[in-house]
Coordinates of all heavy atoms in Angstrom, one line a residue:
M1 N 157.1 198.5 141.1 CA 155.7 198.5 140.7 C 154.8 197.9 141.9 O 155.1 196.9 142.4 CB 155.3 197.8 139.5 CG 155.5 198.6 138.2 SD 154.2 199.7 138.0 CE 152.8 198.7 137.5
L2 N 153.8 198.6 142.3 CA 152.9 198.1 143.2 C 152.1 196.9 142.6 O 151.8 197.0 141.4 CB 151.9 199.2 143.8 CG 152.5 200.3 144.6 CD1 151.7 201.5 144.5 CD2 152.7 199.8 146.0
N3 N 151.8 195.9 143.4 CA 151.1 194.8 143.0 C 149.5 195.2 143.0 O 149.0 195.5 144.0 CB 151.3 193.6 143.8 CG 152.7 193.2 143.8 OD1 153.3 192.8 142.9 ND2 153.4 193.4 145.0
P4 N 148.8 194.9 141.8 CA 147.4 195.3 141.9 C 146.6 194.3 142.7 O 146.9 193.1 142.7 CB 147.0 195.2 140.4 CG 148.2 194.4 139.7 CD 149.4 194.6 140.5
I5 N 145.6 194.8 143.4 CA 144.8 193.9 144.2 C 143.4 194.4 144.2 O 143.2 195.7 144.0 CB 145.4 193.8 145.6 CG1 144.6 192.8 146.5 CG2 145.3 195.2 146.3 CD1 145.3 192.5 147.8
S6 N 142.3 193.6 144.3 CA 141.0 194.2 144.3 C 140.7 194.8 145.6 O 141.3 194.5 146.6 CB 140.0 193.0 144.0 OG 139.9 192.2 145.2
V7 N 139.8 195.7 145.6 CA 139.3 196.5 146.9 C 138.9 195.4 147.9 O 139.3 195.5 149.1 CB 138.2 197.5 146.5 CG1 137.6 198.0 147.8 CG2 138.7 198.6 145.6
E8 N 138.2 194.4 147.5 CA 137.7 193.4 148.5 C 138.8 192.7 149.2 O 138.9 192.5 150.3 CB 136.9 192.3 147.7 CG 135.3 192.8 147.5 CD 134.6 192.5 148.8 OE1 135.0 191.7 149.6 OE2 133.5 193.1 148.8
K9 N 139.8 192.2 148.3 CA 140.9 191.4 148.9 C 141.8 192.4 149.7 O 142.3 191.8 150.8 CB 141.8 190.9 147.7 CG 141.4 189.6 147.2 CD 142.4 189.0 146.3 CE 142.0 187.7 145.7 NZ 142.7 187.4 144.5
F10 N 142.0 193.6 149.4 CA 142.8 194.5 150.2 C 142.1 194.8 151.6 O 142.8 194.8 152.6 CB 143.0 195.8 149.4 CG 144.0 196.7 150.1 CD1 145.3 196.4 150.2 CD2 143.5 197.8 150.9 CE1 146.2 197.3 150.9 CE2 144.4 198.7 151.6 CZ 145.6 198.4 151.6
A11 N 140.8 195.0 151.5 CA 140.0 195.1 152.7 C 140.2 193.9 153.7 O 140.5 194.2 154.8 CB 138.6 195.4 152.4
D12 N 140.1 192.8 153.1 CA 140.3 191.5 154.0 C 141.7 191.5 154.5 O 141.9 191.2 155.7 CB 140.1 190.4 153.1 CG 138.7 190.1 152.8 OD1 137.8 190.6 153.5 OD2 138.5 189.3 151.8
M13 N 142.8 192.0 153.7 CA 144.1 191.9 154.3 C 144.3 193.0 155.3 O 145.0 192.6 156.4 CB 145.0 192.3 153.1 CG 146.4 191.6 153.1 SD 147.1 191.9 151.5 CE 147.5 193.6 151.4
V14 N 143.7 194.1 155.2 CA 143.8 195.2 156.2 C 143.2 194.7 157.5 O 143.7 194.8 158.6 CB 143.2 196.5 155.8 CG1 143.0 197.4 156.9 CG2 143.9 197.1 154.6
M15 N 142.0 194.0 157.4 CA 141.3 193.5 158.5 C 142.0 192.4 159.2 O 141.8 192.2 160.5 CB 139.9 193.1 158.1 CG 139.1 194.4 157.6 SD 137.4 194.4 157.7 CE 137.0 193.5 159.1
E16 N 142.8 191.6 158.5 CA 143.5 190.6 159.1 C 144.7 191.1 160.0 O 145.0 190.6 161.0 CB 144.2 189.7 158.0 CG 143.3 188.5 157.7 CD 143.9 187.7 156.5 OE1 145.1 187.6 156.4 OE2 143.1 187.2 155.8
N17 N 145.3 192.2 159.5 CA 146.4 192.8 160.1 C 146.1 193.9 161.2 O 147.0 194.3 161.9 CB 147.4 193.4 159.1 CG 148.0 192.3 158.1 OD1 148.2 191.2 158.6 ND2 148.0 192.6 156.9
N18 N 144.9 194.4 161.1 CA 144.6 195.5 162.1 C 143.2 195.2 162.6 O 142.3 194.8 162.0 CB 144.4 196.8 161.3 CG 145.7 197.1 160.5 OD1 146.7 197.7 161.1 ND2 145.8 196.8 159.3
K19 N 143.1 195.5 164.0 CA 141.8 195.5 164.6 C 141.1 196.7 164.5 O 141.7 197.8 164.4 CB 142.0 194.9 166.0 CG 142.5 193.6 166.2 CD 142.4 193.1 167.6 CE 142.5 191.6 167.9 NZ 143.5 190.9 167.2
G20 N 139.8 196.7 164.6 CA 139.1 197.9 164.8 C 138.5 198.5 163.6 O 137.8 199.5 163.6
Y21 N 138.7 197.8 162.3 CA 138.1 198.3 161.2 C 136.7 197.7 161.0 O 136.6 196.5 161.3 CB 138.9 198.1 160.0 CG 140.1 199.0 159.8 CD1 141.4 198.6 160.1 CD2 139.9 200.2 159.4 CE1 142.5 199.5 159.9 CE2 140.9 201.1 159.2 CZ 142.2 200.7 159.4 OH 143.2 201.6 159.3
R22 N 135.8 198.4 160.5 CA 134.5 197.8 160.0 C 134.6 197.6 158.5 O 134.9 198.6 157.8 CB 133.4 198.6 160.5 CG 133.2 198.9 161.9 CD 131.8 198.8 162.4 NE 130.8 199.4 161.6 CZ 130.2 200.5 161.8 NH1 130.5 201.1 162.9 NH2 129.3 200.9 160.9
K23 N 134.4 196.5 158.0 CA 134.6 196.2 156.6 C 133.8 197.2 155.7 O 134.3 197.6 154.7 CB 134.3 194.7 156.2 CG 134.7 194.4 154.8 CD 134.8 192.9 154.6 CE 135.3 192.7 153.1 NZ 135.3 191.2 152.8
K24 N 132.6 197.5 156.2 CA 131.7 198.3 155.3 C 132.3 199.7 155.1 O 132.4 200.2 154.1 CB 130.3 198.4 155.9 CG 129.2 198.7 155.1 CD 127.9 198.7 155.7 CE 127.5 199.9 156.4 NZ 126.6 200.5 156.9
D25 N 132.9 200.2 156.2 CA 133.4 201.5 156.2 C 134.7 201.5 155.4 O 135.1 202.4 154.6 CB 133.8 202.0 157.6 CG 132.5 202.3 158.4 OD1 131.4 202.4 157.9 OD2 132.7 202.2 159.6
L26 N 135.5 200.5 155.6 CA 136.7 200.3 154.9 C 136.6 200.2 153.4 O 137.2 200.9 152.6 CB 137.5 199.0 155.4 CG 138.9 198.8 155.1 CD1 139.8 199.9 155.5 CD2 139.4 197.5 155.7
L27 N 135.6 199.4 153.0 CA 135.3 199.3 151.5 C 134.8 200.7 151.0 O 135.3 201.1 149.9 CB 134.2 198.3 151.3 CG 134.6 196.8 151.4 CD1 133.4 195.9 151.3 CD2 135.6 196.4 150.4
R28 N 134.0 201.4 151.8 CA 133.6 202.7 151.3 C 134.8 203.7 151.1 O 134.9 204.3 150.1 CB 132.7 203.3 152.3 CG 131.9 204.6 151.8 CD 131.4 205.4 153.0 NE 132.5 205.6 154.0 CZ 132.3 205.7 155.3 NH1 131.1 205.4 155.8 NH2 133.3 205.8 156.1
D29 N 135.7 203.7 152.1 CA 136.9 204.6 152.0 C 137.8 204.2 150.9 O 138.3 205.0 150.2 CB 137.6 204.5 153.3 CG 136.9 205.2 154.5 OD1 136.0 205.9 154.2 OD2 137.3 205.0 155.6
L30 N 138.0 202.9 150.7 CA 138.8 202.4 149.6 C 138.3 202.8 148.3 O 139.0 203.3 147.3 CB 139.0 200.9 149.7 CG 139.9 200.5 150.9 CD1 139.7 198.9 151.1 CD2 141.3 200.8 150.6
R31 N 137.0 202.6 148.1 CA 136.3 202.9 146.8 C 136.4 204.4 146.5 O 136.6 204.9 145.4 CB 134.9 202.3 146.8 CG 134.9 200.9 146.8 CD 133.6 200.3 146.3 NE 133.6 198.8 146.3 CZ 133.0 198.0 147.1 NH1 132.2 198.4 148.0 NH2 133.2 196.7 147.0
N32 N 136.1 205.2 147.6 CA 136.1 206.7 147.4 C 137.5 207.2 147.0 O 137.6 208.0 146.1 CB 135.7 207.4 148.7 CG 134.2 207.3 149.0 OD1 133.5 206.9 148.1 ND2 133.8 207.7 150.2
T33 N 138.5 206.6 147.7 CA 139.8 207.1 147.4 C 140.3 206.6 145.9 O 141.0 207.4 145.2 CB 140.9 206.5 148.4 OG1 140.3 206.8 149.7 CG2 142.2 207.2 148.3
L34 N 139.9 205.4 145.7 CA 140.2 204.9 144.3 C 139.6 205.8 143.2 O 140.2 206.1 142.1 CB 139.7 203.4 144.1 CG 140.0 202.8 142.8 CD1 141.6 202.8 142.6 CD2 139.6 201.3 142.8
E35 N 138.4 206.2 143.5 CA 137.7 207.1 142.5 C 138.4 208.4 142.5 O 138.5 209.0 141.4 CB 136.3 207.3 143.0 CG 135.3 207.9 142.0 CD 135.1 207.0 140.9 OE1 135.1 205.8 141.0 OE2 134.9 207.7 139.8
E36 N 138.9 208.9 143.6 CA 139.7 210.2 143.6 C 140.9 210.1 142.8 O 141.3 210.9 142.0 CB 140.0 210.6 145.0 CG 138.9 211.2 145.8 CD 139.4 211.7 147.2 OE1 140.5 212.2 147.3 OE2 138.6 211.4 148.2
K37 N 141.6 208.9 142.9 CA 142.8 208.7 142.1 C 142.5 208.7 140.6 O 143.1 209.3 139.8 CB 143.4 207.4 142.5 CG 144.7 207.2 141.7 CD 145.3 205.8 142.1 CE 146.7 205.7 141.4 NZ 147.4 204.4 141.7
K38 N 141.4 208.0 140.2 CA 141.0 208.0 138.8 C 140.6 209.4 138.3 O 140.8 209.6 137.1 CB 139.8 207.0 138.6 CG 140.1 205.6 138.7 CD 139.0 204.7 138.5 CE 139.3 203.2 138.6 NZ 138.2 202.3 138.8
N39 N 140.2 210.2 139.3 CA 139.8 211.6 138.8 C 141.1 212.6 138.9 O 141.0 213.7 138.7 CB 138.8 212.2 139.7 CG 137.4 211.5 139.4 OD1 137.2 211.1 138.3 ND2 136.6 211.4 140.4
G40 N 142.3 211.9 139.1 CA 143.5 212.7 139.0 C 144.0 213.2 140.4 O 144.8 214.2 140.4
A41 N 143.6 212.6 141.5 CA 144.1 213.2 142.8 C 145.6 213.1 142.9 O 146.2 212.0 142.5 CB 143.5 212.4 143.9
K42 N 146.2 214.1 143.5 CA 147.7 214.1 143.5 C 148.2 214.1 144.9 O 147.5 214.6 145.8 CB 148.2 215.4 142.8 CG 147.9 215.5 141.3 CD 148.9 214.6 140.6 CE 148.9 214.9 139.1 NZ 147.5 214.5 138.4
C43 N 149.5 213.6 145.2 CA 150.1 213.6 146.4 C 150.2 215.1 146.9 O 150.6 215.9 146.2 CB 151.4 213.0 146.3 SG 152.5 213.1 147.8
M44 N 149.8 215.3 148.2 CA 149.9 216.6 148.8 C 151.3 217.2 148.9 O 151.5 218.4 149.0 CB 149.3 216.6 150.2 CG 147.8 216.5 150.3 SD 147.3 216.1 152.0 CE 148.3 217.5 152.9
V45 N 152.3 216.2 149.0 CA 153.6 216.6 149.2 C 154.3 216.9 147.9 O 154.9 217.9 147.6 CB 154.3 215.6 150.0 CG1 155.8 215.9 150.1 CG2 153.7 215.5 151.4
C46 N 154.3 215.8 147.0 CA 155.2 216.0 145.8 C 154.4 216.0 144.4 O 155.0 216.2 143.5 CB 156.1 214.8 145.7 SG 155.3 213.2 145.3
G47 N 153.1 215.8 144.5 CA 152.3 216.0 143.3 C 152.2 214.8 142.4 O 151.6 214.9 141.3
A48 N 152.8 213.7 142.8 CA 152.7 212.4 142.1 C 151.3 211.8 142.3 O 150.6 212.2 143.2 CB 153.7 211.4 142.6
P49 N 150.9 210.9 141.4 CA 149.5 210.3 141.6 C 149.5 209.6 143.0 O 150.5 209.1 143.4 CB 149.5 209.2 140.5 CG 150.5 209.7 139.4 CD 151.6 210.5 140.2
I50 N 148.4 209.7 143.6 CA 148.3 209.1 145.0 C 148.4 207.6 145.0 O 148.1 207.0 144.0 CB 147.0 209.5 145.7 CG1 145.7 209.1 145.0 CG2 147.1 211.1 145.9 CD1 144.5 209.2 145.9
W51 N 148.8 207.0 146.2 CA 148.6 205.6 146.4 C 147.3 205.4 147.1 O 147.2 205.7 148.3 CB 149.8 205.3 147.3 CG 149.9 203.9 147.8 CD1 149.5 202.7 147.1 CD2 150.3 203.3 149.0 NE1 149.6 201.6 147.7 CE2 150.1 201.9 149.0 CE3 150.8 203.9 150.2 CZ2 150.5 201.1 150.1 CZ3 151.1 203.1 151.3 CH2 151.0 201.7 151.2
A52 N 146.3 204.9 146.4 CA 145.0 204.9 146.8 C 144.8 204.0 148.0 O 144.1 204.4 149.0 CB 144.0 204.5 145.7
A53 N 145.5 202.8 148.0 CA 145.3 201.9 149.1 C 145.8 202.6 150.5 O 145.2 202.5 151.5 CB 146.1 200.7 148.8
G54 N 147.0 203.2 150.4 CA 147.5 203.8 151.5 C 146.8 205.1 152.0 O 146.5 205.3 153.1
S55 N 146.4 205.9 151.0 CA 145.7 207.1 151.3 C 144.3 206.8 151.9 O 143.8 207.7 152.8 CB 145.4 207.9 150.0 OG 146.7 208.3 149.5
A56 N 143.7 205.7 151.5 CA 142.4 205.4 152.1 C 142.5 205.1 153.6 O 141.7 205.4 154.5 CB 141.8 204.2 151.4
I57 N 143.6 204.4 154.0 CA 143.9 204.0 155.4 C 144.2 205.3 156.2 O 143.8 205.4 157.3 CB 144.9 203.0 155.5 CG1 144.6 201.7 154.6 CG2 145.3 202.6 156.9 CD1 143.3 201.1 155.0
T58 N 145.1 206.1 155.6 CA 145.6 207.2 156.5 C 144.7 208.4 156.4 O 144.7 209.3 157.2 CB 147.0 207.7 155.9 OG1 146.9 208.2 154.5 CG2 148.1 206.7 156.0
G59 N 143.8 208.5 155.3 CA 142.9 209.6 155.2 C 143.6 210.8 154.6 O 143.0 211.9 154.6
T60 N 144.8 210.6 154.1 CA 145.5 211.8 153.6 C 146.0 211.4 152.1 O 146.5 210.3 151.9 CB 146.7 212.1 154.4 OG1 146.3 212.2 155.7 CG2 147.4 213.4 153.9
N61 N 145.9 212.2 151.2 CA 146.2 211.9 149.8 C 147.7 212.1 149.6 O 148.3 213.1 149.5 CB 145.6 212.8 148.8 CG 144.1 212.4 148.6 OD1 143.7 211.4 149.0 ND2 143.4 213.2 147.9
L62 N 148.4 210.9 149.6 CA 149.9 210.9 149.5 C 150.2 209.8 148.5 O 149.5 208.8 148.4 CB 150.6 210.6 150.8 CG 150.5 211.7 151.9 CD1 151.0 211.1 153.2 CD2 151.2 212.9 151.5
C63 N 151.4 209.9 147.9 CA 151.9 208.9 147.0 C 152.6 207.7 147.9 O 152.7 208.0 149.1 CB 152.9 209.4 145.9 SG 154.5 209.9 146.6
F64 N 153.0 206.6 147.3 CA 153.6 205.6 148.1 C 154.8 206.0 148.9 O 155.0 205.8 150.0 CB 153.9 204.4 147.2 CG 154.6 203.2 147.9 CD1 153.8 202.3 148.6 CD2 155.9 203.1 148.0 CE1 154.4 201.3 149.3 CE2 156.5 202.1 148.6 CZ 155.7 201.2 149.3
T65 N 155.7 206.8 148.2 CA 157.0 207.1 148.7 C 156.8 208.1 149.8 O 157.4 208.0 150.9 CB 157.9 207.8 147.6 OG1 158.0 206.9 146.5 CG2 159.3 208.1 148.2
C66 N 155.9 209.0 149.7 CA 155.7 210.0 150.8 C 154.9 209.4 152.0 O 155.0 209.8 153.1 CB 154.8 211.2 150.3 SG 155.8 212.2 149.1
T67 N 154.1 208.3 151.7 CA 153.4 207.6 152.8 C 154.4 206.8 153.6 O 154.4 206.8 154.9 CB 152.4 206.7 152.2 OG1 151.4 207.4 151.5 CG2 151.6 206.0 153.5
T68 N 155.3 206.1 152.9 CA 156.1 205.0 153.6 C 157.5 205.4 153.8 O 158.3 204.9 154.5 CB 156.1 203.7 152.8 OG1 156.8 204.0 151.5 CG2 154.7 203.3 152.5
G69 N 158.0 206.5 153.0 CA 159.4 206.9 153.1 C 160.4 206.0 152.3 O 161.5 206.0 152.4
E70 N 159.7 205.0 151.5 CA 160.5 204.1 150.8 C 160.2 204.2 149.3 O 159.2 204.6 148.9 CB 160.1 202.6 151.1 CG 160.5 202.3 152.5 CD 160.0 200.9 152.9 OE1 159.8 200.0 152.0 OE2 159.8 200.7 154.1
A71 N 161.3 204.0 148.5 CA 161.2 204.1 147.1 C 160.7 202.8 146.4 O 160.1 202.8 145.4 CB 162.5 204.5 146.4
D72 N 161.0 201.7 147.0 CA 160.7 200.3 146.6 C 159.3 200.0 146.9 O 159.0 199.6 148.1 CB 161.7 199.3 147.1 CG 161.5 197.9 146.5 OD1 160.6 197.8 145.6 OD2 162.1 197.0 147.1
D73 N 158.5 199.9 145.9 CA 157.1 199.6 146.1 C 156.7 198.2 145.7 O 155.5 197.8 145.6 CB 156.1 200.6 145.6 CG 156.3 200.7 144.1 OD1 157.0 200.0 143.5 OD2 155.6 201.7 143.6
S74 N 157.7 197.4 145.4 CA 157.4 196.0 144.8 C 156.8 195.1 145.7 O 156.3 194.0 145.3 CB 158.7 195.5 144.1 OG 159.7 195.3 145.2
E75 N 156.9 195.3 147.0 CA 156.2 194.4 147.9 C 155.0 194.8 148.6 O 154.5 194.4 149.5 CB 157.3 194.1 149.1 CG 158.4 193.2 148.6 CD 159.4 192.9 149.6 OE1 159.3 193.3 150.8 OE2 160.6 192.4 149.3
D76 N 154.5 195.9 148.0 CA 153.2 196.4 148.5 C 152.0 196.3 147.4 O 152.3 196.0 146.3 CB 153.4 197.8 149.1 CG 152.7 198.0 150.4 OD1 151.6 197.6 150.5 OD2 153.4 198.3 151.4
Y77 N 150.9 196.9 147.8 CA 149.7 196.7 146.9 C 149.0 198.0 146.6 O 149.1 199.0 147.3 CB 148.6 195.8 147.6 CG 149.2 194.4 147.9 CD1 149.9 194.0 149.0 CD2 149.1 193.4 146.8 CE1 150.4 192.8 149.3 CE2 149.6 192.1 147.1 CZ 150.2 191.9 148.3 OH 150.7 190.6 148.5
E78 N 148.4 197.9 145.4 CA 147.6 199.1 145.1 C 146.2 198.5 144.7 O 146.1 197.6 143.9 CB 148.2 200.0 143.9 CG 147.3 201.1 143.4 CD 146.9 202.1 144.5 OE1 146.3 201.7 145.6 OE2 147.1 203.3 144.3
I79 N 145.1 199.2 145.1 CA 143.8 198.7 144.8 C 143.5 199.1 143.4 O 144.0 200.1 142.8 CB 142.7 199.3 145.8 CG1 142.9 200.7 146.1 CG2 142.8 198.5 147.1 CD1 141.9 201.4 146.9
E80 N 142.7 198.4 142.7 CA 142.3 198.8 141.4 C 140.8 198.3 141.2 O 140.2 197.7 142.0 CB 143.1 198.1 140.3 CG 143.0 196.5 140.5 CD 143.6 195.8 139.3 OE1 144.5 196.4 138.7 OE2 143.3 194.7 139.1
Ligands
ZN101 ZN1 154.4 212.1 147.2

């Protein structure tokens, strides 16, 4: 299970680990993608519900496994 995290906290985490993001843009992308997920957005590859946190960063609607190539999502986060 992905660990739930607020959009704000996730944005701070991304900005700590990556240079070049503007928080305002990041928050907008995260909220938009989360909204898409709530509206039933599906992974382009396998049709599972998208991983909103990752899809917002990559700009592509993918589930956790298709984004990372890993099945174990217990050490990662999902925005809510
Ligand atoms: Zn997938």
Side-chain angles (χ1 to χ4, degrees):
M1 273 288 283
L2 289 159
N3 303 292
I5 188 169
S6 73
V7 169
E8 277 279 341
K9 271 192 188 157
F10 186 75
D12 285 341
M13 214 166 65
V14 170
M15 298 202 33
E16 268 174 33
N17 295 322
N18 303 277
K19 290 194 166 43
Y21 281 106
R22 301 224 321 254
K23 187 161 184 186
K24 201 169 92 172
D25 295 339
L26 192 57
L27 286 173
R28 186 201 56 215
D29 288 349
L30 289 167
R31 292 196 177 113
N32 284 347
T33 310
L34 184 57
E35 194 62 32
E36 283 182 41
K37 183 181 184 182
K38 285 182 180 163
N39 290 331
K42 296 282 194 292
C43 173
M44 288 169 49
V45 176
C46 73
I50 63 167
W51 177 35
S55 297
I57 302 301
T58 61
T60 309
N61 283 352
L62 293 171
C63 70
F64 180 84
T65 305
C66 292
T67 304
T68 64
E70 291 176 25
D72 180 10
D73 58 9
S74 61
E75 288 178 5
D76 228 306
Y77 296 92
E78 175 60 305
I79 47 175
E80 59 169 22

